[in-house]
Amino acid sequence: MLGRSVVSKQRLLKTMLRELLDPYEEESRTVPQALSIQVDVFIMVCILCSCLLIPLEYFLPEYGRVYWTCELAFTTLFALEYVTRWYCAPDRIKYPFTRYAMIDLIAILPAVLMISSKFMVFRLARGIRFLRILRLLKIFRYDALIHQSINNLRIWFASFREQYRLHQLGNLFRLYIVAWILGANLLYFTESQFASGLSPYADYFKSYWNIIIVLISGIEDKEPLSVAGRIEVTVLLIAGICVVGMITGEIVSILVHKIERKGKVTLKPSLTALSNHIVIFGNNTHLDYILHQIHAAFNGLYYILIVSPDADQLKITSHDVYKKVMALQGDYRSPGVLECACLDSAYRAIVLSDEVPGVSTIRRDKQTLMHTLAAVSKNHSLPVTVQLNDKSMLKYTEPLENVEFIVSQNYLETLLSQAVLNPGITTIYRSLMTFSHDSNEFYKIPITEEADFKTFKEAQHYFLSRDTDMVPIGIYKNSDSSSNDLRQACCLNPECKDTRLTPGDSLAVIAYRDPLLHFEKERGMIKNHLLKLLGHQVRGRSRDLGDVRSTHHPHSFARLQNRTVVICNGNPNVKQVVEELFAVEGSDPIHITLIAQDLALWEAHPEWHPDDSAGSFRVIEGDPCRRDILIKAGIRECGAAIVLADPRHEDLADAPSALIAMSIEEINADVHTIMELINSTNRQYIDNHIINEVICRGDITENLIAQNCFLPGVKDIFHTLLTTRKGTPQIFLPFLPGKYAGKTYKEIVLEIINTDVPCIVLGFIQEDGVVMNPKAHDHPGMASVLSEVDQLIVISGDRAVTL
């Protein structure tokens, strides 16, 4: 075991060194770290400086000792780099014969040969020092970084050129220079031939200066003496007035345009081609947060192009996030606009649903599908994520490959039902759906021949014993490990934990993001094989979406004992929520009462009505804000209350919903209240100490779109976990059995793994709050002692799993 531990640490060190030196290597799929890029830039500067010594030795030989000291320093650095790359190479035997290894050796040998002067052959070969110029070949190792830097510089210069109209100004200045040179020569010839006296234009070089005065400010005292010269100066004077006026007008226009564009997104240069960028079609209330999430996920690596009819009016909310965001104004379906969006070379695409007042959701979805078809027609292999509003439109989407559709209604309905059965569960999902520095994210780890574990159970032991802050949750069998894609079927919480893992399989894990390379910790054990889904810290703006260690209402995580539920307001979510609750098997049936705010509205929409054959469901009419109606519905005796958004209020339903929830808590403070929120910006105004759980449709939409853009297919993982039907993997919050009381979290997890309990433990809940994937050296963490009042966070296919 000690030998395997040493081998693992050596492999960890090799992996980290390889990622540090080669952040853009082909096998790596992680987002390049800032430290790695800084190291590459430093080495490139050293290469150029070492080559600069060659001409300096020739032109300034008196500083030979200084040059030699610098040469030794550069040679030592290149030798250290060579040895390090050799050490962390996958195949050390073949590495010295690879192309770049031989170039690295050539960069070192000239200085090594120059060190000794004892042998005549070396003195005769002093000319070999000029071979140091071959160090420039090392630059080709960093071609990816150089290409990206040149591309960024090209785009910046194109934006600068268009913003300040350098093309128009250049044309005017060229016209001015032509008039200046032509006028000076013409007047010199005319005055020297026809002037009767001493003309100010008779001197060739003075005529240039005098013409500048004529073109800019007028004739003043530089008047020609000949008639022909006066005619020529008059023409030049008129031309100067026109050109200078046009230049002045252009400069004023630039200043006015700059003032108008202040605080707005940079417009895409019309003639500049983008590559490897993210295209977002559409603009709605979710756009700004999606941009923040994408920037956090990709660490600002890619340019983002927003295509919308009102794109030129987009405001900048964070200069760090919007630094690489550009806007393209125009109709999405216009061939010219699609061509300008450079979809054929794009990395990802997102299609948002337009928010047009008075237009039905189905009509908006049809327009969104049309925009999607237009985008796909330009690049069939481009991964596209599309926002839809109505799940009934999904039946039209099957023919579209590489396109994934996010319907927040689906996730909202299942999350509402899970929040009833597992109070506090929304905090777990919000932490998994949100980019932040202290939350957990999904990763995909390819299995290689060198892996230290051969089964899923061994992988659980491996990560737990080494305090890696990773929790295996599933298996991808025969997946494409080189693809940054989760659209292959994932077996979450496999029934047989002893299933053998073979090269080509992958592990699905949740883990923290580690932004820097920490050599003292083993949390990045297979880091260069990880396909990052989420986890880069949002810069410039944070959002309260459920801190994994936040404090909640005292009964937020209590198990639902009373299986009576009251639903306030009828809307399209009622059918799915009720049927999901009825699908849960238990010893006692669930009784559900719906308070229909408008019975005529409820009867007019039979598609909202659930199948109540599997449980007790009744409907009463009344205003959910009224105390007598709530009491009549049984709010005093119920265990949970769901406040749905009233469709009659459309986007303004959040305030009435909050007032209903407060009325419920006033009557029964022990009821677990769950509220549906429409607008995510209103979350800050909701008192979480009164309303236990707030589930926002906007939050779900924004986070799932950003996540699916980063790693296609992740929505299917959430869809699986959110299903409440028995036998499907779900997240449950069981109380700690008495036999585990007094033990540490790590001891409990180890015992659960060894006894083959059909579940996966993700964390625990104490009085202080939620701790997902506890860390070894934190408190609360791996060493925390749990008691019977605490709860575990587990993935299981059975709510009644015996721990």
Side-chain angles (χ1 to χ4, degrees):
M1 179 63 72
L2 181 60
R4 292 186 64 183
S5 176
V6 172
V7 171
S8 298
K9 290 183 178 180
Q10 289 179 348
R11 188 173 299 155
L12 167 67
L13 181 60
K14 289 171 58 179
T15 299
M16 288 183 166
L17 286 174
R18 189 161 55 247
E19 186 172 76
L20 182 67
L21 294 172
D22 290 313
Y24 289 96
E25 68 174 350
E26 189 174 353
E27 293 83 5
S28 176
R29 290 294 182 263
T30 59
V31 176
Q33 300 290 340
L35 179 61
S36 302
I37 296 176
Q38 290 169 8
V39 169
D40 282 1
V41 172
F42 174 72
I43 294 176
M44 283 193 293
V45 171
C46 290
I47 293 170
L48 296 176
C49 290
S50 67
C51 293
L52 185 62
L53 292 177
I54 299 175
L56 289 178
E57 289 175 355
Y58 181 78
F59 291 106
L60 299 172
E62 60 269 23
Y63 300 104
R65 186 177 295 275
V66 177
Y67 301 149
W68 180 243
T69 303
C70 294
E71 178 64 30
L72 290 179
F74 289 134
T75 302
T76 303
L77 175 66
F78 296 147
L80 181 62
E81 180 200 7
Y82 178 77
V83 172
T84 304
R85 290 184 183 277
W86 195 352
Y87 167 75
C88 62
D91 191 337
R92 295 179 183 174
I93 297 177
K94 294 182 180 179
Y95 177 77
F97 305 101
T98 60
R99 176 179 54 182
Y100 288 125
M102 296 177 69
I103 292 175
D104 290 342
L105 187 61
I106 291 174
I108 301 169
L109 283 180
V112 173
L113 296 176
M114 291 165 55
I115 290 176
S116 175
S117 60
K118 294 181 180 179
F119 300 98
M120 180 61 66
V121 66
F122 289 158
R123 288 201 300 270
L124 293 176
R126 274 304 178 94
I128 202 170
R129 66 176 181 269
F130 291 105
L131 292 177
R132 290 177 294 171
I133 198 67
L134 294 177
R135 288 174 179 170
L136 287 174
L137 296 175
K138 285 172 62 67
I139 295 292
F140 290 106
R141 182 188 287 276
Y142 309 100
D143 57 344
L145 179 59
I146 295 173
H147 174 74
Q148 184 187 5
S149 302
I150 293 175
N151 187 54
N152 292 342
L153 184 62
R154 177 181 61 84
I155 294 173
W156 175 86
F157 180 76
S159 300
F160 183 85
R161 181 173 180 266
E162 188 152 317
Q163 181 181 358
Y164 291 96
R165 303 189 184 185
L166 297 185
H167 179 68
Q168 293 89 329
L169 286 176
N171 288 336
L172 291 175
F173 277 111
R174 281 192 289 270
L175 181 61
Y176 183 86
I177 290 172
V178 169
W180 174 45
I181 296 174
L182 185 62
N185 284 272
L186 189 61
L187 269 169
Y188 168 74
F189 175 77
T190 302
E191 288 296 286
S192 60
Q193 294 294 324
F194 302 107
S196 57
L198 185 59
S199 172
Y201 298 94
D203 185 281
Y204 182 76
F205 293 103
K206 284 186 178 181
S207 65
Y208 277 91
W209 174 252
N210 293 334
I211 288 299
I212 289 180
I213 296 174
V214 170
L215 290 172
I216 294 178
S217 60
I219 295 179
E220 295 184 357
D221 60 342
K222 306 298 185 293
E223 182 181 353
L225 299 181
S226 65
V227 176
R230 291 179 180 180
I231 294 174
E232 292 169 358
V233 164
T234 302
V235 174
L236 289 173
L237 183 61
I238 296 173
I241 292 173
C242 295
V243 174
V244 172
M246 292 170 66
I247 292 176
T248 305
E250 197 67 38
I251 293 174
V252 171
S253 176
I254 292 170
L255 294 176
V256 171
H257 181 74
K258 187 172 179 62
I259 293 173
E260 290 179 347
R261 296 296 308 168
K262 187 176 182 180
K264 295 180 181 178
V265 175
T266 303
L267 295 177
K268 177 190 177 292
S270 55
L271 301 178
T272 302
L274 298 178
S275 62
N276 213 29
H277 59 293
I278 299 171
V279 183
I280 300 180
F281 293 97
N283 176 24
N284 58 27
T285 54
H286 306 300
L287 176 62
D288 183 59
Y289 188 66
I290 290 174
L291 290 174
H292 281 75
Q293 295 281 354
I294 292 176
H295 176 268
F298 292 104
N299 203 22
L301 183 64
Y302 299 104
Y303 276 93
I304 301 175
L305 179 64
I306 302 171
V307 184
S308 172
D310 59 348
D312 60 326
Q313 300 301 318
L314 294 174
K315 300 292 183 63
I316 294 175
T317 59
S318 169
H319 288 284
D320 187 37
V321 172
Y322 281 77
K323 185 165 55 178
K324 286 191 173 182
V325 176
M326 291 184 172
L328 176 61
Q329 183 183 15
D331 185 2
Y332 326 126
R333 294 167 293 180
S334 169
V337 172
L338 292 174
E339 193 70 30
C340 194
C342 307
L343 285 171
D344 54 338
S345 58
Y347 177 65
R348 292 278 194 273
I350 296 174
V351 182
L352 299 180
S353 175
D354 291 330
E355 295 175 347
V356 183
V359 179
S360 66
T361 56
I362 293 182
R363 183 176 178 83
R364 281 187 287 164
D365 284 347
K366 289 179 180 179
Q367 293 175 344
T368 303
L369 289 175
M370 197 65 236
H371 300 157
T372 304
L373 289 173
V376 172
S377 67
K378 289 292 182 180
N379 188 349
H380 295 284
S381 61
L382 178 66
V384 182
T385 302
V386 182
Q387 174 197 359
L388 292 179
N389 300 288
D390 197 308
K391 60 183 179 182
S392 64
M393 300 299 295
L394 290 174
K395 60 186 177 183
Y396 303 109
T397 64
E398 292 184 5
L400 294 174
E401 298 181 0
N402 290 322
V403 180
E404 297 195 75
F405 296 88
I406 304 293
V407 184
S408 58
Q409 183 183 0
N410 286 348
Y411 301 91
L412 176 71
E413 294 164 349
T414 52
L415 192 54
L416 284 169
S417 58
Q418 283 220 3
V420 172
L421 302 168
N422 297 285
I425 197 70
T426 55
T427 301
I428 311 299
Y429 282 108
R430 284 203 302 270
S431 68
L432 288 173
M433 285 185 177
T434 307
F435 300 101
S436 70
H437 65 286
D438 59 353
S439 63
N440 286 272
E441 299 81 41
F442 287 98
Y443 291 77
K444 183 179 175 185
I445 305 179
I447 303 300
T448 63
E449 293 283 358
E450 300 177 349
D452 289 327
F453 45 85
K454 300 302 179 184
T455 65
F456 185 83
K457 186 174 182 179
E458 289 182 9
Q460 289 180 296
H461 277 287
Y462 183 83
F463 292 125
L464 182 66
S465 62
R466 286 162 178 77
D467 300 331
T468 56
D469 302 334
M470 292 187 189
V471 180
I473 61 171
I475 303 174
Y476 290 91
K477 294 298 290 183
N478 298 318
S479 67
D480 182 5
S481 61
S482 63
S483 173
N484 192 23
D485 198 322
L486 282 182
R487 283 176 288 187
Q488 299 127 341
C490 176
C491 177
L492 295 175
N493 184 30
E495 293 184 9
C496 181
K497 301 294 194 297
D498 292 320
T499 300
R500 190 164 185 82
L501 302 175
T502 59
D505 297 342
S506 296
L507 278 180
V509 303
I510 64 169
Y512 292 96
R513 168 191 174 260
D514 196 353
L516 298 177
L517 299 175
H518 295 291
F519 289 93
E520 70 276 8
K521 294 184 180 180
E522 293 191 356
R523 70 180 58 165
M525 190 153 308
I526 326 174
K527 187 176 174 187
N528 75 315
H529 293 297
L530 296 179
L531 302 182
K532 287 192 176 181
L533 171 60
L534 308 173
H536 291 265
Q537 182 177 2
V538 179
R539 299 176 181 175
R541 171 179 162 185
S542 61
R543 196 162 171 186
D544 181 15
L545 293 178
D547 191 343
V548 292
R549 287 183 175 83
S550 57
T551 303
H552 298 265
H553 199 269
H555 62 271
S556 290
F557 298 102
R559 187 187 298 275
L560 182 66
Q561 302 292 346
N562 190 333
R563 297 172 70 85
T564 302
V565 180
V566 173
I567 300 177
C568 300
N569 296 328
N571 71 12
N573 298 326
V574 172
K575 176 179 175 64
Q576 184 70 21
V577 170
V578 173
E579 291 178 356
E580 288 281 348
L581 290 174
F582 285 159
V584 177
E585 296 185 7
S587 56
D588 299 321
I590 294 180
H591 303 279
I592 301 175
T593 300
L594 170 67
I595 303 178
Q597 72 280 28
D598 185 342
L599 194 58
L601 176 67
W602 173 257
E603 296 294 342
H605 291 83
E607 68 275 9
W608 296 358
H609 300 183
D611 179 8
D612 56 0
S613 59
S616 172
F617 178 76
R618 66 177 181 135
V619 180
I620 65 172
E621 183 182 12
D623 185 355
C625 281
R626 290 176 50 183
R627 182 183 181 88
D628 58 325
I629 297 297
L630 290 172
I631 294 175
K632 179 181 177 182
I635 203 68
R636 286 177 172 170
E637 299 81 21
C638 76
I642 302 175
V643 182
L644 299 178
D646 190 339
R648 298 177 302 175
H649 301 306
E650 298 181 346
D651 293 340
L652 302 177
D654 289 343
S657 298
L659 294 174
I660 293 173
M662 294 171 68
S663 300
I664 292 172
E665 289 285 344
E666 185 179 352
I667 297 173
N668 182 1
D670 294 327
V671 71
H672 189 79
T673 311
I674 305 155
M675 172 184 157
E676 175 190 1
L677 193 69
I678 299 296
N679 194 335
S680 58
T681 59
N682 291 332
R683 180 185 290 278
Q684 57 186 320
Y685 308 117
I686 305 299
D687 191 346
N688 288 328
H689 293 282
I690 296 178
I691 303 172
N692 302 109
E693 299 192 63
V694 179
I695 301 175
C696 181
R697 185 186 307 170
D699 289 347
I700 296 173
T701 300
E702 293 159 358
N703 285 291
L704 283 179
I705 288 176
Q707 289 182 19
N708 218 72
C709 174
F710 190 89
L711 192 52
V714 68
K715 69 179 183 65
D716 297 329
I717 293 181
F718 284 108
H719 188 270
T720 301
L721 290 174
L722 284 168
T723 304
T724 57
R725 287 170 176 77
K726 186 175 181 180
T728 59
Q730 304 169 50
I731 297 180
F732 298 113
L733 310 176
F735 281 95
L736 189 73
K739 63 180 180 179
Y740 296 130
K743 296 183 178 181
T744 65
Y745 172 82
K746 186 172 183 178
E747 293 171 344
I748 295 171
V749 174
L750 188 61
E751 187 170 339
I752 289 176
I753 294 174
N754 290 333
T755 54
D756 294 324
V757 178
C759 72
I760 297 171
V761 184
L762 304 180
F764 60 89
I765 302 171
Q766 288 184 318
E767 191 175 20
D768 298 339
V770 182
V771 183
M772 281 280 290
N773 186 16
K775 296 183 180 181
H777 306 292
D778 284 4
H779 182 76
M782 282 277 193
S784 296
V785 178
L786 305 186
S787 62
E788 293 184 37
V789 298
D790 299 329
Q791 294 172 265
L792 293 177
I793 305 170
V794 303
I795 294 180
S796 175
D798 187 359
R799 179 180 303 276
V801 60
T802 303
L803 298 176

